[in-house]
Amino acid sequence: MEGIGPIYGRRLMEYFGSFSAVFDRAEKELTGVSRIPQVLLQRLSSKREFKFAEAELLQMQKKEVSGHTLSDPRFPKRLKQCSDCPLVLFSKGIADLNASRMIAVVGSRAVSQYGEAQCKDLIKGLAGSGVVIMSGLAYGTDIVAHRMALECGLQTIAVFAHGMDRIYPGSHSTTARKMLDQGAWVSEFPM
């Protein structure tokens, strides 16, 4: 819901015990939640947001995307430790989002030949280790890491900076689709 981000969302969940309980309570009960603007509490009680949520769920089903809330055991435990983590994480694919061994690869979008070779060597060295490679599917280092992980038989996860209704950049579509059989896509953004 617009205006209810990670901080307010956690306060509401902690106060009511679950996200569904927030919507089940009367408006007068919502006023007891401290440090949340009254206008947002009124929007919660109006139930206007349900139409958006229903449309989102239909899109998710159509695209085979899962949604994980903070109370879902599949929600990444490491991410949950951040005070501003997303309230919902969307995923598609087979990778374990709570794998015990994960490495995030971040680098230049205009990666040099040396940087590309170093990235490939690093990931080749991890072949057979069961480590999961995570990156952003962007140009440069990110796509090198994903492609090398696939080549080495490692699971790889792409973190999207947008909803999962599209793949960006489009030139990475083939790699992204291969990742669904050997990894996953994740995003904090709705469809």
Side-chain angles (χ1 to χ4, degrees), residues 38-81:
Q38 191 62 36
V39 67
L40 293 178
L41 295 173
Q42 289 169 345
R43 284 184 61 205
L44 278 169
S45 63
S46 75
K47 313 251 192 265
R48 289 185 302 192
E49 306 300 324
F50 282 106
K51 287 186 192 230
F52 170 78
E54 288 171 355
E56 186 70 16
L57 284 170
L58 285 173
Q59 280 295 98
M60 288 169 62
Q61 288 172 345
K62 196 177 193 181
K63 302 273 186 179
E64 298 177 340
V65 171
S66 300
H68 315 287
T69 63
L70 292 171
S71 58
D72 186 335
R74 295 171 297 173
F75 193 97
K77 292 174 179 78
R78 294 174 193 93
L79 183 59
K80 196 184 294 190
Q81 293 175 19

Side-chain angles (χ1 to χ4, degrees), residues 1 10 16 39 54 59 80 84 88 107-108 121 125 132 151-152 184 189:
M1 186 177 118
R10 276 195 175 204
F16 289 106
V39 67
E54 288 171 355
Q59 280 295 98
K80 196 184 294 190
D84 62 346
V88 180
S108 174
D121 285 346
V132 177
E151 190 176 310
C152 291
F189 299 99

Side-chain angles (χ1 to χ4, degrees), residues 78 91-105 122-124 126-136 142-159 175-176 178-186:
R78 294 174 193 93
S91 73
K92 181 174 179 158
I94 63 164
D96 177 5
L97 303 181
N98 282 302
S100 61
R101 298 168 62 194
M102 300 178 114
I103 293 179
V105 177
L122 170 74
I123 293 172
K124 279 181 192 173
L126 295 169
S129 68
V131 93
V132 177
I133 305 297
M134 191 176 251
S135 201
D142 290 16
I143 195 64
V144 169
H146 290 306
R147 288 177 177 156
M148 200 69 227
L150 290 170
E151 190 176 310
C152 291
L154 295 169
Q155 286 194 353
T156 184
I157 299 173
V159 180
T175 302
K178 285 180 186 175
M179 291 174 66
L180 294 177
D181 295 327
Q182 194 174 312
W185 305 344
V186 297

